[in-house]
Amino acid sequence: MRYIISISFLFYLLASVPVLASVNVEEVRVSNGVKAWMIQDSSLPIVAIKVAFLNSGSAYDPEGKEGLANIAVHMMDEGAGDLSGIALKNILEEKAISFYVTSDEDNVYIHMKTLKEHLGEAFNILRLVLTEPNFAEADFKRVREQISLSIEKRKESPDFIANQRWNQIAYGSHPYARDNMGSRESLLSISKDDLIDYMYSNFAKDNLVISAVGDISQKELASYLDSAFDSLTKKQSVRQSILAELKVLRPADKQPVVIPFDISQSIAIFGFKGLKRNDPYFYPAYLMNHILGNGGFDSRLMNEVREKRGLAYSVYSYMATFQYGGVIKGYVATENHRIKKSIDIIKKEIKKIQNKAITQRELDDAKNYLVGSFPLRLDNNASLANFLLFMQIEELGMDFLEERNNLINAVTLKQVNAISEKLLHIDNMITVVVGSWPGQE
Amino acid sequence: MRHHVVTCIFKIYTLCVLLAVSSWGAHADTPKENFFTLDNGLSVLVIQNHKVPAVSHTIWYRVGGIDEPEGKSGIAHFLEHLMFKGTDTIASGQFSKIVTKNGGNDNAFTSYDYTAYYQKIASDKLELVMKMEADRMVNLTLDTRDVITERDVVLEERRTRIDRHPRNILLEQMRASLFLNHPYRRPLIGWENDIKELDKQDALDFYQKHYAPNNAILIVSGDVSVSHVKALAEKYYGVIPKMDLQPRVFPTEPIHKVPRRLVYEDDKVRKPELIKFYLAPSMNYGEHKHVYALELLSRILGGSQTSRLYRDLVIDKGLAANVETGYNGVAVGPGVFSLYILPSEGIAVETVELEFKRVVEEMIKNGIDQDEIRRSKNVLKSEAIYAKDGLQGIAHIYGSVLVKGLSIDYVDRWEENIESVTEEDLIRAAQHVIQEDNSSVTGILRSPKT
């Protein structure tokens, strides 16, 4: 779960204002309809490539087969064409190609990094993996066992337990509430045929998004797009249902949900309904959250909970956005007998912000940080490629790297106050505590 | 924020072994004019990278957990937190706020061997952060109440990092058991009872003893020129007088006579795990000729899904869900070779332990395929190439090497040294470190119910 969150989260951290002097985003289109966005940068002989297949993530897993997308992506480097899993991984090592596949609620992502001299081999492997996966029985069984064990091991983590429960409470029956790994039982009901079916119905040209950054020309990329993706089917299968819009539920009562756990430090996840990425109030909300709890020492939660009172090592809030909804979520970890105090202080701060407490000075400082720190987050090919991918998924436009500054700077205090007033109703805050709580031992 | 150096590497879930895993460098010939020393003894390295109009400015102090006085475990890390408080000219708590207001990020990390502070910021703000960093090298002021509050933060950090995770509790105990004499035996964050007693005077004593220009290395990487960095460094760091420093001398390990075995049972553990630590040489300790071979050996044995242990235990026999080995040979004190195994459902820890020993014995007896060696060399070398992409990657490699008393040559010649490792070297290193297990600790993590 941690990873899934970090995908959307990461993108939002990244989405914070461009002043990249010499960056030129180009679109490459080939005759089979496949296109990609790229930035050519020959300062090092390496290339980062990112591929996404939209609306194929864990929220789309069929009922009873939860965990399908996750196990499918873990099977993708387990052999293709004539290559066994080991043979494929040996080639990747020999050529120093980094290749791995991940999934989140909404999408599947392929991450590649290669030396320029092995670009051909990298795209060839990508083609094989997408079109001729092996899914050998022995590998499938092993990966299924590995994931089953991971499902058990995750339950050792109070952070995971808290997050999972928070999602269940907030998302109710929406598929976003499900565990991306599924359960031991649901994994056992997934067959090799399900994997094949999953891949052929989901990996298509019309839900494909690609980006590349590094030592590669438009012409080179075009030829690889032609060869690697040509045999994909045209359209994602219509059997993929579209999800319902996410309705974040209200908590049953004002007390936190407490899950007893034998630890000296309790952890709490708290949060609210948020916004989708394309909401007109996204930027005001983004600044609001930055001021509330970006995790740095310039945030209110850090100041009140950690700096002034020493109640926690980490305390923060973040915005997570999905294709069909969004949330604002926060985290704190405090010694058991002081956890209630931490939550009380957090609530007080949230109430203040909801009540227009953010000052013009705070807003200006936040803008300065978000504008100035943008290039720091894009200082390597992989981050830039991620960002280009995200720009396409969210349909932000090719000039977004330049536009981002203006969008942040245009936010007014009035807008921030308006969205704070709307989103941060304390009665809507869902809180889950793992550890202990006064009166509930 | 403000963290230790820990390395997390697993595909399906994560183990942080509290050890740096690989100490790769990069093939490069650092121009001599980029590396210079000021009159007061501060070493400066400039690494140019013009990809984005930004810089990373990092100061590395040759002081860390191993330099702590007895009974003051955690003081190096505690002081690192307190360095963000204030100076004569910067009000308490303002350091990071000034950096962020200027669009920068800052943080710090404490290790056994060093403490480092960095800022990443637009190139034209280099002077601002350098002025502030130089200022807090000598002008730190601490308010007693701030110190007490921050001590609570560190205690919470200890709960977050160690107490909440059964595996980390075991790792801490294993470390204390592996080193019989060397200060590496102490937890970096400190024992809880020690942290609770640390006060303002302890922090100031440690600060005044170790923070000085001749005990530091400055590394600036990014969109800058050497002459500009040199001028700024002279202006801000150059005026700080050098200090008389005590030589860094540490106790060595006696001959270990008994392998140790620790079993930690915790209700929260759902599936058992096996962890092993072997005392090993490092570039500064013991037979350092084995270091490059050990770096390669940890790749070949358990560095990836094509490694010997993974293929044997996970893929062929299905006895484990995951296997990893790691080695840290760039250290002021001894190195550690580590092993982690997560057995498959229903498989005993003792079974995978025996299998591990068998795989190592077979490797020693039957040798290692040339292809296997070449592939592992390739992977190590490619990691070094990718590390050049980004503002901090290569700068951090140089910093962490130089601060441990090694020369720039270690990084610049690293690739050829790795290349020259032979099958024989690998076997000898395995015999030297793994076969002889008196200087090892085996840790077993499990639930009391199993």
Side-chain angles (χ1 to χ4, degrees):
Chain A
M1 196 39 104
R2 207 180 178 134
Y3 187 66
I4 284 174
I5 288 164
S6 72
I7 286 215
S8 354
F9 181 37
L10 179 72
F11 287 156
Y12 285 107
L13 285 176
L14 287 169
S16 36
V17 184
V19 264
L20 295 176
S22 57
V23 159
N24 186 19
V25 182
E26 298 166 310
E27 183 174 271
V28 177
R29 242 175 220 282
V30 291
S31 56
N32 60 20
V34 174
K35 64 173 177 117
W37 286 10
M38 63 167 283
I39 294 171
Q40 184 169 7
D41 171 2
S42 312
S43 55
L44 289 170
I46 57 178
V47 186
I49 300 137
K50 305 274 170 179
V51 177
F53 289 103
L54 305 184
N55 307 330
S56 55
S58 58
Y60 297 86
D61 289 344
E63 213 145 316
K65 294 188 193 291
E66 291 84 4
L68 176 60
N70 179 61
I71 194 169
V73 305
H74 277 103
M75 283 299 295
M76 282 177 68
D77 61 356
E78 295 290 344
D82 298 335
L83 302 169
S84 69
I86 283 289
L88 192 151
K89 285 169 195 168
N90 279 343
I91 294 179
L92 293 174
E93 290 193 349
E94 213 140 315
K95 310 279 182 196
I97 299 166
S98 150
F99 177 95
Y100 65 97
V101 193
T102 59
S103 61
D104 65 13
E105 288 88 342
D106 290 314
N107 310 319
V108 164
Y109 307 90
I110 302 172
H111 313 259
M112 291 205 301
K113 228 162 45 172
T114 179
L115 304 178
K116 183 183 176 59
E117 58 182 303
H118 299 313
L119 261 171
E121 190 70 55
F123 274 101
N124 187 42
I125 283 176
L126 179 60
R127 179 187 64 78
L128 274 180
V129 162
L130 290 176
T131 53
E132 299 174 44
N134 281 357
F135 297 148
E137 196 60 34
D139 293 327
F140 178 51
K141 276 191 174 154
R142 169 173 52 79
V143 170
R144 192 168 61 194
E145 274 309 300
Q146 287 176 310
I147 295 174
S148 289
L149 211 60
S150 301
I151 291 172
E152 277 302 299
K153 289 302 275 184
R154 287 203 303 185
K155 295 177 190 160
E156 294 174 3
S157 156
D159 289 12
F160 170 75
I161 295 169
N163 245 310
Q164 197 187 37
R165 178 63 71 87
W166 195 94
N167 292 349
Q168 286 163 354
I169 295 169
Y171 306 158
S173 60
H174 195 279
Y176 285 156
R178 294 198 297 209
D179 182 351
N180 71 317
M181 284 194 187
S183 64
R184 182 168 273 275
E185 298 71 45
S186 69
L187 286 181
L188 283 173
S189 76
I190 295 170
S191 68
K192 194 178 138 172
D193 285 345
D194 290 325
L195 294 186
I196 295 167
D197 187 53
Y198 168 83
M199 279 193 64
Y200 288 112
S201 47
N202 280 297
F203 293 180
K205 284 180 188 144
D206 72 335
N207 66 334
L208 170 65
V209 182
I210 306 165
S211 67
V213 175
D215 194 0
I216 185 169
S217 70
Q218 280 184 278
K219 212 175 140 191
E220 286 166 317
L221 182 59
S223 80
Y224 292 128
L225 295 183
D226 243 339
S227 59
F229 301 102
D230 198 46
S231 46
L232 289 183
T233 142
K234 242 190 190 143
K235 281 187 180 339
Q236 188 180 20
S237 160
V238 286
R239 280 182 299 147
Q240 284 301 321
S241 51
I242 291 165
L243 300 184
E245 288 293 319
L246 177 67
K247 286 197 179 69
V248 176
L249 303 175
R250 295 184 53 165
D253 69 79
K254 290 180 187 174
Q255 288 305 308
V257 171
V258 179
I259 303 171
F261 208 67
D262 179 24
I263 35 179
S264 60
Q265 184 185 57
S266 297
I267 71 135
I269 305 268
F270 52 91
F272 303 86
K273 178 185 183 337
L275 298 176
K276 281 164 63 168
R277 183 62 184 72
N278 60 10
D279 190 287
Y281 269 87
F282 177 80
Y283 291 98
Y286 184 55
L287 279 152
M288 169 199 84
N289 176 67
H290 185 84
I291 292 161
L292 171 67
N294 71 74
F297 288 88
D298 51 342
S299 76
R300 285 188 170 221
L301 294 185
M302 198 69 156
N303 242 307
E304 296 298 323
V305 177
R306 173 169 160 164
E307 287 296 274
K308 284 192 190 161
R309 298 179 177 87
L311 286 166
Y313 172 66
S314 58
V315 52
Y316 56 83
S317 64
Y318 61 95
M319 292 174 72
T321 61
F322 314 108
Q323 169 109 36
Y324 291 100
V327 289
I328 299 167
K329 245 176 171 178
Y331 176 91
V332 69
T334 308
E335 197 181 5
N336 291 340
H337 76 272
R338 303 192 299 168
I339 184 75
K340 182 167 184 305
K341 195 171 170 193
S342 284
I343 294 287
D344 287 345
I345 288 160
I346 289 166
K347 279 187 167 171
K348 201 168 144 196
E349 226 31 59
I350 290 173
K351 271 189 205 162
K352 277 195 213 159
I353 286 186
Q354 200 231 353
N355 221 352
K356 302 191 176 64
I358 290 178
T359 64
Q360 186 63 46
R361 175 97 187 264
E362 270 179 300
L363 181 61
D364 292 342
D365 285 347
K367 286 181 182 178
N368 281 344
Y369 172 74
L370 293 172
V371 167
S373 62
F374 180 68
L376 305 176
R377 306 187 189 286
L378 299 180
D379 68 344
N380 64 78
N381 289 347
S383 309
L384 258 176
N386 250 342
F387 199 74
L388 288 194
L389 195 75
F390 158 74
M391 280 162 54
Q392 294 175 83
I393 294 173
E394 295 294 345
E395 299 174 353
L396 298 173
M398 280 177 81
D399 60 350
F400 186 73
L401 288 169
E402 287 103 67
E403 268 309 295
R404 186 77 173 87
N405 248 349
N406 306 332
L407 292 167
I408 290 276
N409 278 328
V411 171
T412 66
L413 187 57
K414 206 174 152 196
Q415 290 171 322
V416 174
N417 282 331
I419 198 65
S420 306
E421 211 271 319
K422 187 173 167 215
L423 293 177
L424 300 181
H425 275 286
I426 208 73
D427 291 346
N428 292 343
M429 186 166 106
I430 297 171
T431 309
V432 173
V433 174
V434 174
S436 65
W437 189 255
Q440 296 191 33
E441 297 306 327
Chain B
M1 305 284 287
R2 284 163 212 182
H3 53 262
H4 303 290
V5 179
V6 277
T7 311
C8 311
I9 29 170
F10 282 175
K11 180 183 174 191
I12 296 183
Y13 62 93
T14 303
L15 167 78
C16 299
V17 187
L18 300 173
L19 288 168
V21 163
S22 173
S23 52
W24 34 261
H27 174 73
D29 281 311
T30 311
K32 291 283 171 274
E33 66 269 22
N34 288 27
F35 189 46
F36 52 90
T37 304
L38 306 187
D39 290 342
N40 61 5
L42 178 76
S43 309
V44 185
L45 174 64
V46 183
I47 299 167
Q48 280 159 307
N49 172 347
H50 304 289
K51 190 157 180 155
V52 289
V55 285
S56 138
H57 168 268
T58 311
I59 188 120
W60 301 75
Y61 289 100
R62 291 184 200 94
V63 60
I66 50 175
D67 301 279
E68 294 166 343
E70 284 296 321
K72 305 285 179 192
S73 68
I75 190 67
H77 168 255
F78 186 32
L79 173 62
E80 177 231 292
H81 276 236
L82 295 172
M83 286 288 283
F84 289 83
K85 291 306 176 189
T87 66
D88 304 339
T89 49
I90 304 235
S92 181
Q94 289 303 304
F95 192 100
S96 293
K97 285 177 189 157
I98 295 170
V99 175
T100 51
K101 264 178 218 170
N102 283 280
N105 293 321
D106 71 327
N107 212 330
F109 40 98
T110 307
S111 144
Y112 282 99
D113 297 343
Y114 61 83
T115 312
Y117 301 82
Y118 73 81
Q119 300 84 32
K120 278 170 79 177
I121 201 159
S123 316
D124 59 0
K125 303 281 170 64
L126 175 62
E127 180 164 5
L128 170 81
V129 294
M130 201 185 276
K131 185 179 174 186
M132 284 169 51
E133 194 64 79
D135 176 40
R136 70 174 167 179
M137 183 185 279
V138 276
N139 295 321
L140 182 68
T141 54
L142 293 176
D143 170 85
T144 307
R145 238 185 45 202
D146 278 353
V147 172
I148 302 296
T149 307
E150 198 61 30
R151 193 173 64 195
D152 282 341
V153 171
V154 171
L155 286 165
E156 290 292 355
E157 182 177 355
R158 199 193 134 83
R159 290 181 195 108
T160 298
R161 291 189 185 281
I162 312 288
D163 302 343
R164 221 164 71 193
H165 310 282
R167 182 189 303 126
N168 292 348
I169 293 173
L170 174 63
L171 288 170
E172 185 175 86
Q173 299 287 318
M174 286 175 66
R175 182 173 266 283
S177 169
L178 176 69
F179 297 102
L180 300 174
N181 202 27
H182 195 279
Y184 278 165
R185 65 200 319 273
R186 298 190 288 248
L188 192 47
I189 196 163
W191 295 112
E192 187 179 6
N193 52 322
D194 279 354
I195 299 173
K196 282 181 169 161
E197 301 298 324
L198 296 177
D199 62 18
K200 177 174 148 181
Q201 199 52 50
D202 293 325
L204 289 174
D205 289 347
F206 198 73
Y207 173 67
Q208 279 150 9
K209 191 171 172 196
H210 298 288
Y211 282 58
N214 47 328
N215 205 26
I217 297 156
L218 173 70
I219 300 193
V220 178
S221 72
D223 190 18
V224 287
S225 71
V226 177
S227 57
H228 181 57
V229 173
K230 195 167 192 168
L232 289 178
E234 292 283 6
K235 182 173 173 186
Y236 293 106
Y237 290 106
V239 294
I240 303 171
K242 66 158 67 177
M243 220 171 62
D244 282 334
L245 296 167
Q246 304 286 331
R248 278 182 110 185
V249 181
F250 305 102
T252 53
E253 284 297 301
I255 293 171
H256 291 203
K257 296 182 176 167
V258 187
R260 279 131 280 165
R261 201 167 181 84
L262 306 182
V263 179
Y264 178 54
E265 296 188 335
D266 189 312
D267 275 328
K268 296 186 288 295
V269 176
R270 316 275 298 204
K271 297 289 165 194
E273 300 174 21
L274 173 78
I275 303 167
K276 273 176 179 282
F277 283 169
Y278 292 88
L279 193 71
S282 78
M283 288 301 289
N284 290 304
Y285 191 99
E287 296 182 43
H288 71 263
K289 64 175 185 196
H290 290 304
V291 167
Y292 299 104
L294 285 167
E295 289 184 349
L296 208 50
L297 186 69
S298 82
R299 272 295 324 165
I300 289 172
L301 268 179
S304 74
Q305 295 190 13
T306 62
S307 66
R308 286 188 160 230
L309 286 165
Y310 196 93
R311 271 179 345 213
D312 196 305
L313 272 66
V314 179
I315 296 177
D316 294 346
K317 302 207 172 69
L319 294 171
N322 203 358
V323 187
E324 289 221 3
T325 51
Y327 168 65
N328 174 23
V330 180
V332 169
V336 179
F337 192 93
S338 59
L339 165 77
Y340 171 84
I341 305 183
L342 175 65
S344 297
E345 182 77 43
I347 303 294
V349 163
E350 291 73 15
T351 308
V352 293
E353 189 179 5
L354 285 172
E355 290 293 318
F356 160 70
K357 285 185 177 157
R358 177 187 55 77
V359 170
V360 173
E361 293 299 333
E362 279 175 12
M363 183 188 74
I364 290 171
K365 202 172 120 210
N366 304 334
I368 308 167
D369 203 44
Q370 285 308 313
D371 260 6
E372 214 176 334
I373 298 176
R374 187 173 40 79
R375 245 191 351 259
S376 297
K377 286 178 177 174
N378 267 355
V379 175
L380 280 183
K381 288 187 291 186
S382 69
E383 282 175 356
I385 298 171
Y386 291 129
K388 289 183 189 170
D389 189 19
L391 216 46
Q392 285 189 316
I394 247 241
H396 275 188
I397 291 170
Y398 276 109
S400 65
V401 165
L402 292 173
V403 79
K404 291 169 189 171
L406 301 175
S407 74
I408 277 199
D409 259 10
Y410 174 81
V411 181
D412 290 350
R413 303 273 159 266
W414 181 84
E415 190 174 318
E416 58 193 78
N417 283 320
I418 285 289
E419 195 51 62
S420 70
V421 173
T422 64
E423 182 187 357
E424 223 184 348
D425 297 335
L426 290 165
I427 301 293
R428 266 202 298 264
Q431 286 168 325
H432 182 66
V433 174
I434 306 175
Q435 213 171 24
E436 150 66 83
D437 69 354
N438 276 350
S439 52
S440 75
V441 181
T442 303
I444 293 167
L445 184 68
R446 66 183 184 208
S447 157
K449 286 167 244 157
T450 51

